[in-house]
Amino acid sequence: VGYARVSTEDQDLRLQIAALERHGIPAEQVVIEKASGKSTSRKGLANLLRALHKGDTLVVWKLDRLGRTLMGVLEVLEDIERRGIHFISLTERFDTSHPMGRAMLQVALVFAELERAMISERTKAGIAAAKAAGKRFGRAHTIRDSKRRMNLLRRMDQEGKLRDDQGELLMSAQTLMERLNKADTQAARIVNAETVRRWKREGFPGVDADIEEIPLAEETDDDPKEREND
């Protein structure tokens, strides 16, 4: 089965189709596709690969018709090799139906695996360095990752207004949630009081740290309406 690809609608497929026909592949057995080669996740190629079976041969005019990135092309070759499908690239004279072609493929796959391992190691090293520098990954916690909310909680705790000696909240989780949302309107809004209850069950993490010197949106337990009446 042949596969021919161009990147844009105005490019011509005739050169590729003619080369595949000279190799003995009828035009009706050539899958054509007009799509960018940046990714190997293309509909026409994906459908073709699913339709191939052990013993079949995939033929392209040139290796870059499979894709423009080495890693992407090698992933396709690795997949069809594992499934017992042969591959021929006419321009590069790359034919895995012969011992030399299979040997060349194995060498290419070894280098691809080495490159994947090196990328993985660099990624892990980068993440480890970022964590060591204090960078957090994932979605910010609506309580612990808000300095203003944590400051409010620490101040309330120091004043004895947050929890009793048994570690129980001195107000409802709903009320505390509303106060935390007011303390930092820039952070993601806490929408469920269960977030507060879960934080409480975890042992009030972060409350025992020192208060940071930043302005607070809310620093007292006074009701705003009572202050207006005063």
Side-chain angles (χ1 to χ4, degrees), residues 10-23:
D10 57 352
Q11 290 179 312
D12 199 341
L13 285 160
R14 286 179 295 181
L15 175 64
Q16 297 180 52
I17 295 173
L20 293 169
E21 287 181 330
R22 285 195 299 271
H23 188 73

PDB file of all heavy atoms in Angstrom, residues 10-23:
ATOM      1  N   ASP A  10      -2.719  23.353  -2.523  1.00  0.00           N
ATOM      2  CA  ASP A  10      -2.221  23.734  -3.838  1.00  0.00           C
ATOM      3  C   ASP A  10      -0.953  22.972  -4.244  1.00  0.00           C
ATOM      4  O   ASP A  10      -0.417  23.182  -5.335  1.00  0.00           O
ATOM      5  CB  ASP A  10      -1.952  25.248  -3.897  1.00  0.00           C
ATOM      6  CG  ASP A  10      -0.966  25.706  -2.832  1.00  0.00           C
ATOM      7  OD1 ASP A  10      -0.611  24.887  -1.966  1.00  0.00           O
ATOM      8  OD2 ASP A  10      -0.567  26.886  -2.873  1.00  0.00           O
ATOM      9  N   GLN A  11      -0.456  22.081  -3.392  1.00  0.00           N
ATOM     10  CA  GLN A  11       0.700  21.281  -3.763  1.00  0.00           C
ATOM     11  C   GLN A  11       0.253  20.047  -4.555  1.00  0.00           C
ATOM     12  O   GLN A  11      -0.848  19.541  -4.385  1.00  0.00           O
ATOM     13  CB  GLN A  11       1.486  20.870  -2.517  1.00  0.00           C
ATOM     14  CG  GLN A  11       2.217  22.045  -1.850  1.00  0.00           C
ATOM     15  CD  GLN A  11       2.973  21.610  -0.611  1.00  0.00           C
ATOM     16  OE1 GLN A  11       2.451  20.921   0.244  1.00  0.00           O
ATOM     17  NE2 GLN A  11       4.224  22.033  -0.518  1.00  0.00           N
ATOM     18  N   ASP A  12       1.141  19.546  -5.407  1.00  0.00           N
ATOM     19  CA  ASP A  12       0.808  18.485  -6.352  1.00  0.00           C
ATOM     20  C   ASP A  12       1.295  17.133  -5.844  1.00  0.00           C
ATOM     21  O   ASP A  12       2.445  16.968  -5.456  1.00  0.00           O
ATOM     22  CB  ASP A  12       1.446  18.801  -7.709  1.00  0.00           C
ATOM     23  CG  ASP A  12       0.784  18.014  -8.830  1.00  0.00           C
ATOM     24  OD1 ASP A  12       0.123  17.010  -8.546  1.00  0.00           O
ATOM     25  OD2 ASP A  12       0.940  18.438  -9.995  1.00  0.00           O
ATOM     26  N   LEU A  13       0.395  16.146  -5.903  1.00  0.00           N
ATOM     27  CA  LEU A  13       0.713  14.788  -5.468  1.00  0.00           C
ATOM     28  C   LEU A  13       1.192  13.900  -6.615  1.00  0.00           C
ATOM     29  O   LEU A  13       1.588  12.746  -6.383  1.00  0.00           O
ATOM     30  CB  LEU A  13      -0.526  14.144  -4.828  1.00  0.00           C
ATOM     31  CG  LEU A  13      -0.902  14.600  -3.411  1.00  0.00           C
ATOM     32  CD1 LEU A  13      -2.357  14.276  -3.125  1.00  0.00           C
ATOM     33  CD2 LEU A  13       0.000  13.936  -2.387  1.00  0.00           C
ATOM     34  N   ARG A  14       1.168  14.412  -7.860  1.00  0.00           N
ATOM     35  CA  ARG A  14       1.408  13.546  -9.019  1.00  0.00           C
ATOM     36  C   ARG A  14       2.801  12.920  -9.025  1.00  0.00           C
ATOM     37  O   ARG A  14       2.974  11.767  -9.420  1.00  0.00           O
ATOM     38  CB  ARG A  14       1.158  14.319 -10.313  1.00  0.00           C
ATOM     39  CG  ARG A  14      -0.314  14.552 -10.601  1.00  0.00           C
ATOM     40  CD  ARG A  14      -0.525  15.345 -11.869  1.00  0.00           C
ATOM     41  NE  ARG A  14       0.014  16.705 -11.751  1.00  0.00           N
ATOM     42  CZ  ARG A  14      -0.065  17.618 -12.721  1.00  0.00           C
ATOM     43  NH1 ARG A  14      -0.628  17.297 -13.881  1.00  0.00           N
ATOM     44  NH2 ARG A  14       0.433  18.828 -12.553  1.00  0.00           N
ATOM     45  N   LEU A  15       3.823  13.663  -8.584  1.00  0.00           N
ATOM     46  CA  LEU A  15       5.182  13.134  -8.560  1.00  0.00           C
ATOM     47  C   LEU A  15       5.267  11.906  -7.652  1.00  0.00           C
ATOM     48  O   LEU A  15       5.850  10.881  -8.016  1.00  0.00           O
ATOM     49  CB  LEU A  15       6.164  14.210  -8.105  1.00  0.00           C
ATOM     50  CG  LEU A  15       7.623  13.768  -7.907  1.00  0.00           C
ATOM     51  CD1 LEU A  15       8.223  13.317  -9.236  1.00  0.00           C
ATOM     52  CD2 LEU A  15       8.453  14.895  -7.302  1.00  0.00           C
ATOM     53  N   GLN A  16       4.669  12.024  -6.467  1.00  0.00           N
ATOM     54  CA  GLN A  16       4.715  10.909  -5.523  1.00  0.00           C
ATOM     55  C   GLN A  16       3.932   9.704  -6.059  1.00  0.00           C
ATOM     56  O   GLN A  16       4.407   8.558  -5.981  1.00  0.00           O
ATOM     57  CB  GLN A  16       4.134  11.336  -4.166  1.00  0.00           C
ATOM     58  CG  GLN A  16       4.913  12.437  -3.480  1.00  0.00           C
ATOM     59  CD  GLN A  16       4.290  12.822  -2.159  1.00  0.00           C
ATOM     60  OE1 GLN A  16       4.040  11.965  -1.314  1.00  0.00           O
ATOM     61  NE2 GLN A  16       4.027  14.114  -1.970  1.00  0.00           N
ATOM     62  N   ILE A  17       2.738   9.965  -6.562  1.00  0.00           N
ATOM     63  CA  ILE A  17       1.895   8.872  -7.067  1.00  0.00           C
ATOM     64  C   ILE A  17       2.569   8.162  -8.239  1.00  0.00           C
ATOM     65  O   ILE A  17       2.558   6.926  -8.339  1.00  0.00           O
ATOM     66  CB  ILE A  17       0.506   9.414  -7.473  1.00  0.00           C
ATOM     67  CG1 ILE A  17      -0.230   9.942  -6.230  1.00  0.00           C
ATOM     68  CG2 ILE A  17      -0.313   8.328  -8.157  1.00  0.00           C
ATOM     69  CD1 ILE A  17      -1.535  10.651  -6.536  1.00  0.00           C
ATOM     70  N   ALA A  18       3.211   8.929  -9.124  1.00  0.00           N
ATOM     71  CA  ALA A  18       3.902   8.335 -10.266  1.00  0.00           C
ATOM     72  C   ALA A  18       5.042   7.431  -9.804  1.00  0.00           C
ATOM     73  O   ALA A  18       5.261   6.340 -10.353  1.00  0.00           O
ATOM     74  CB  ALA A  18       4.424   9.429 -11.191  1.00  0.00           C
ATOM     75  N   ALA A  19       5.800   7.890  -8.801  1.00  0.00           N
ATOM     76  CA  ALA A  19       6.911   7.091  -8.286  1.00  0.00           C
ATOM     77  C   ALA A  19       6.398   5.794  -7.660  1.00  0.00           C
ATOM     78  O   ALA A  19       7.004   4.723  -7.837  1.00  0.00           O
ATOM     79  CB  ALA A  19       7.705   7.902  -7.264  1.00  0.00           C
ATOM     80  N   LEU A  20       5.278   5.866  -6.953  1.00  0.00           N
ATOM     81  CA  LEU A  20       4.701   4.674  -6.321  1.00  0.00           C
ATOM     82  C   LEU A  20       4.171   3.707  -7.384  1.00  0.00           C
ATOM     83  O   LEU A  20       4.303   2.479  -7.240  1.00  0.00           O
ATOM     84  CB  LEU A  20       3.583   5.084  -5.356  1.00  0.00           C
ATOM     85  CG  LEU A  20       4.043   5.873  -4.118  1.00  0.00           C
ATOM     86  CD1 LEU A  20       2.841   6.454  -3.379  1.00  0.00           C
ATOM     87  CD2 LEU A  20       4.872   5.002  -3.191  1.00  0.00           C
ATOM     88  N   GLU A  21       3.597   4.254  -8.457  1.00  0.00           N
ATOM     89  CA  GLU A  21       3.102   3.401  -9.548  1.00  0.00           C
ATOM     90  C   GLU A  21       4.250   2.681 -10.252  1.00  0.00           C
ATOM     91  O   GLU A  21       4.137   1.507 -10.625  1.00  0.00           O
ATOM     92  CB  GLU A  21       2.297   4.238 -10.542  1.00  0.00           C
ATOM     93  CG  GLU A  21       0.937   4.664 -10.013  1.00  0.00           C
ATOM     94  CD  GLU A  21       0.152   5.479 -11.032  1.00  0.00           C
ATOM     95  OE1 GLU A  21       0.805   6.187 -11.842  1.00  0.00           O
ATOM     96  OE2 GLU A  21      -1.082   5.416 -11.026  1.00  0.00           O
ATOM     97  N   ARG A  22       5.385   3.375 -10.433  1.00  0.00           N
ATOM     98  CA  ARG A  22       6.545   2.743 -11.053  1.00  0.00           C
ATOM     99  C   ARG A  22       7.076   1.605 -10.185  1.00  0.00           C
ATOM    100  O   ARG A  22       7.683   0.658 -10.691  1.00  0.00           O
ATOM    101  CB  ARG A  22       7.652   3.779 -11.296  1.00  0.00           C
ATOM    102  CG  ARG A  22       7.376   4.712 -12.457  1.00  0.00           C
ATOM    103  CD  ARG A  22       8.633   5.450 -12.880  1.00  0.00           C
ATOM    104  NE  ARG A  22       9.180   6.282 -11.797  1.00  0.00           N
ATOM    105  CZ  ARG A  22       8.830   7.540 -11.582  1.00  0.00           C
ATOM    106  NH1 ARG A  22       7.904   8.119 -12.363  1.00  0.00           N
ATOM    107  NH2 ARG A  22       9.380   8.225 -10.604  1.00  0.00           N
ATOM    108  N   HIS A  23       6.816   1.710  -8.894  1.00  0.00           N
ATOM    109  CA  HIS A  23       7.243   0.641  -7.983  1.00  0.00           C
ATOM    110  C   HIS A  23       6.259  -0.528  -8.013  1.00  0.00           C
ATOM    111  O   HIS A  23       6.512  -1.560  -7.389  1.00  0.00           O
ATOM    112  CB  HIS A  23       7.367   1.201  -6.557  1.00  0.00           C
ATOM    113  CG  HIS A  23       7.980   0.252  -5.581  1.00  0.00           C
ATOM    114  ND1 HIS A  23       9.334  -0.049  -5.598  1.00  0.00           N
ATOM    115  CD2 HIS A  23       7.439  -0.479  -4.579  1.00  0.00           C
ATOM    116  CE1 HIS A  23       9.592  -0.918  -4.630  1.00  0.00           C
ATOM    117  NE2 HIS A  23       8.465  -1.192  -3.992  1.00  0.00           N
TER     118      HIS A  23
END
